[in-house]
Amino acid sequence: MSIGYEGDESVTQVDVLVYDPAIGALSPRWRLSDDSSHPEEWYSESTKELFDQEKSVTISATALLLRSSLHRKDNSSEHFLLLGDRIVNGDAKWGSSTPQFGEISFIGGYWEWLEDVLARNKGTLTDAKIYDAVFASLFTYDRNTNLIRSFCEHWCPSTNSLHVPIGEVSISLWDMRLIGGLSADGIFYDEVVPSARELNGSDKRGAPLLPSSCKYLFLAYHQIYCASGTSNVTTREWVKFWFKAPSRYKEPPHRVQKKRSGEPRTSNNPTGFISAPNPRSRDGEKVFDDLGIEKNMREETNLAAFLSCWLCVFVLPNKEVGQIRPSVFKVASMMARGERFSLAVPVLASIYHGLREITSSPSPSKCDATFPIHYLYGWLGQYYDSYFLPSSLKFKCSALMVRLAGEKKAKHFTAQEACDLLKSISPSDLSVLALNKPKQLTISDNGVQSDSWSNYLISLRSSFLTLRRGGERIIEPYSPHRFARQFQYCQDIPGKLKEELSTGSLEKIFQLWKSCTRLGTNAEFTIPLQTSKGLATKQYVEWWNQSSSQFCKDKLPSAKMSSPRGAPKGNHIITIRSVKSKVAKDITPPHSKPREKEPRKAATQEGKKDTTVKEKAHLVIPASKPKPITIKPSRPKGESKKRIDIAISEESSSDKGERHWKRLKKAEVTVSDLQNLNFDLEGVLDDLPDTSNHLEVLGERLGNQFASDDSLGSVDGPNSFDLLSKQKAIADETSCQVAIEEAPSKFAMPMKELRQSLAKSSGPAPSMVTVFRGEDVISECQRAYVSTLWTKLAYKIGKQSFDRLNPIEDEAKKLFEEMRKVDAMDISPLERIIESFFKNIRAYNSARSASTEVHKDTCASQLADASQRLSHAELNESEQVKITQLHQCEFETLEAKEAQLKKELESISIKRKEMEKLLLIDEEKLSKLRVDVSSLKDEISTIENAATQSDEDTQKLEKMKTYIEASQKELADFKLF
């Protein structure tokens, strides 16, 4: 379909794809088959051996089990593979940061427009059952990156559930109702562009097939499209076009993840209070005047325009991030009339599908999956203690996700803490959102239940979730019996799917949706008695122990996970083992153990036993009494490592009694010999920025002494490499080693020469520290200072693209001038590394600038020549791979441009054919005019030859001449295309 103004051929037309509708007057009349997926009873009741996982006891009792119509009963064990398993095996790897995956971003004017819409259209939005869902988009939603990563690592795409030690947990349709305010019951969500016939047609009674507001939305889209000069209409342009009131809200500051003790006191988010709407300004009314919208249609059209933006941004974002999709106009205009749509089903299908794409990708950070991830944030806030939640809300909204809305509301977790939090959920926490009844009820699906009961019954049934978005058709299995404890049923072995579906025809999609949301089946449901036990059958516990992955069972998976750049191997691993001394054991007071806030109160004791470091030592050093540190070297026979026993006396100065302890700690530090280290300096730009996981894993191997958020801040921020300069209680050799290993400066340099230089610069480790020497302190600080400068420089280089590295070279020289002032270290190896690197960069930039001047067909040969020149310049292998990737990216860009030009050429060809048709029509008109002129001339000639000079003939002759002149003028003014 082409969007344009009738009669104005000079205006640009917008071509949009039209698909067959599934709803409406022109939709097919499918004959729904008998639905055999709805049994007479959705539950079963029998005596089972039940296992209470919290008390670790087995009891024999009557169990109420939730049935499934999509699964066959199969008690054989399975083997589930999670993203975490593939990361441990090296088959997948996170990148430098976690993408937004559809996370909402600030849009200027959106909040102001939303407040105006909520004030003007509360009744219509309530009728459509979306008032609370729309209200929830009035805020920003924070998240902790490590928690989202850990969630994806534990998500199983084959079951659409989260795997934790006690079993499976998942996001249900009922959760979508309570958390997001989305209804499962309603009209099929059919996101397509309507045909011109459907848009402009009317039924037998003369009523339009679609609301008039839908046509105005397309006209507005056309105006913005022509004014923007781009190939799309952004959400910012859409909001700016429709809403003319001044902006009151500023963009929230950039997210900084760090430890906080509570929720922030201030916020740039709206307060949530909706006041009476203000009269529209003259500019606001002019928008409707320009589009020719009648006064009685303006409120409805304005609401439809906002809902179009809401659907694209908040409810169902797709890979066209930040753009308005014309395919939502039909649904939005119907919602603006009060029609209720089944939004929970397509939204949950989108979430399941997005998580499937992420967890199946070898590089999740590069996955372009897009889904409404803020609903996942709301789910985590309800089932886990992951947000600072207020005790009560000052405004009324039934969508629970607004409780965690706002800036800096997400708690901070390290990678290990996030993993422990997800695994700490107990069976009693699973039914937090279930309908609680004081007694067991049996109800029948007779089709006359309340809206809440209808949604609850739909949520209990196994089905296939569907999403139809233009030509995109998605099918995802929904298996509530896999997480039956969330509905207070007893958990049993789920069995296996009878049929695997991922997509299908439009008729199949509609049939599956109809089966999912069907009401009035007369099937019976038994709602269990309110309980907090969350029992599972003994068979299920045994089956889960055999089927669940090792990653799900491990209490400390991060200790086994390799860094994205590879874990240290061989003799250069640094280990620290903390051992309580006998003296400390004898004098420790009963309450001397420091209290730490657990990730969740229900954390199991088993998890504590599995940790390598059983207790995090809190070292309190009063300024008036520096603590003596005694280092005693020892060399065990048969080992090349250096063992240093460090005895640290700790004494708290707290007056509150929580940390009053006085005991000696012995830390046995195993430090490898610097001369035997194998520095892995390959791949300077290979996945460089991914430092947070690497440093956290390193910190956990070091007993959480150096990567702790309590003392060093967050490792998620841009200055993660600053942690290297803050490490304490490590010998000088180890400090230099970690600075080189963990810095992103893996440049090509002979390994032997680098090891010798570092060993020479750092000097031998002192065998005994018995007195305080200022020179030693100064020397140590100078070395740490140089290490920090080097780390900062290497991190800055790793963050920049090749074409922006040249200015850094001059700044690097300044840093080296500063480093040379330190006599304690020989920085010549580092200087050679930097010189070699920038030499290679200059060679690369030169080769790249030369390669852009030639034709695409010769790029492959020039790439080989450039690679050879860079090889002569002593570029290492990883840099050559990076250059190849950059050139490949250029090739892909050229191919994309070529494809775009082809599309434009096809569009021009279509327009040319249309113009040719118009030209034929115009030529026919011109031919007809010529025939008329010729006929008139013949008639004049006949009249003149008739030779009657009567007044009537003379007048007639003058009229004919005037008509001829007018025809000639019209002919002269006629223009061909």
Side-chain angles (χ1 to χ4, degrees), residues 129-171:
K129 302 295 181 182
I130 57 173
Y131 180 85
D132 293 326
V134 172
F135 185 90
S137 68
L138 191 58
F139 314 95
T140 58
Y141 292 89
D142 197 10
R143 52 101 174 101
N144 176 257
T145 301
N146 289 325
L147 185 58
I148 299 303
R149 284 190 174 188
S150 186
F151 181 91
C152 293
E153 290 169 2
H154 289 81
W155 182 265
C156 182
S158 63
T159 62
N160 280 338
S161 60
L162 187 74
H163 285 200
V164 291
I166 64 170
E168 298 179 65
V169 194
S170 189
I171 309 170

Side-chain angles (χ1 to χ4, degrees), residues 571-610:
N571 296 329
H572 63 285
I573 296 178
I574 304 173
T575 60
I576 292 184
R577 181 161 51 91
S578 180
V579 182
K580 294 183 180 180
S581 65
K582 296 181 179 180
V583 177
K585 184 176 181 180
D586 295 335
I587 65 174
T588 301
H591 301 288
S592 63
K593 183 178 180 180
R595 301 177 187 174
E596 293 185 39
K597 186 176 181 180
E598 297 293 332
R600 192 174 183 86
K601 294 180 180 180
T604 60
Q605 296 296 328
E606 180 183 354
K608 298 178 182 179
K609 296 178 182 179
D610 292 340

Side-chain angles (χ1 to χ4, degrees), residues 58-77:
T58 302
I59 59 176
S60 179
T62 301
L64 197 62
L65 307 176
L66 189 61
R67 297 178 59 189
S68 171
S69 61
L70 305 182
H71 294 71
R72 64 177 182 270
K73 190 171 183 180
D74 190 342
N75 294 343
S76 61
S77 61

Side-chain angles (χ1 to χ4, degrees), residues 19-31:
Y19 294 92
D20 293 333
I23 59 174
L26 302 182
S27 62
R29 294 293 180 262
W30 289 302
R31 189 173 184 180

Side-chain angles (χ1 to χ4, degrees), residues 106-115 236 239-240 243 245-249 306:
F106 178 80
I107 303 174
Y110 178 86
W111 285 340
E112 294 85 350
W113 191 15
L114 172 55
E115 289 180 335
R236 297 181 185 276
V239 174
K240 186 177 180 181
F243 189 70
S247 299
R248 304 190 309 275
Y249 298 110
F306 173 81

Side-chain angles (χ1 to χ4, degrees), residues 462-482:
S462 57
S463 59
F464 285 100
L465 306 176
T466 60
L467 168 61
R468 195 275 174 101
R469 190 162 45 193
E472 184 182 21
R473 295 188 291 268
I474 295 173
I475 301 175
E476 288 290 340
Y478 175 66
S479 310
H481 74 298
R482 301 195 76 102

Side-chain angles (χ1 to χ4, degrees), residues 667-683:
E668 183 176 316
V669 184
T670 303
V671 182
S672 61
D673 191 351
L674 186 63
Q675 296 294 340
N676 296 327
L677 293 179
N678 294 320
F679 293 96
D680 181 13
L681 300 180
E682 298 180 359

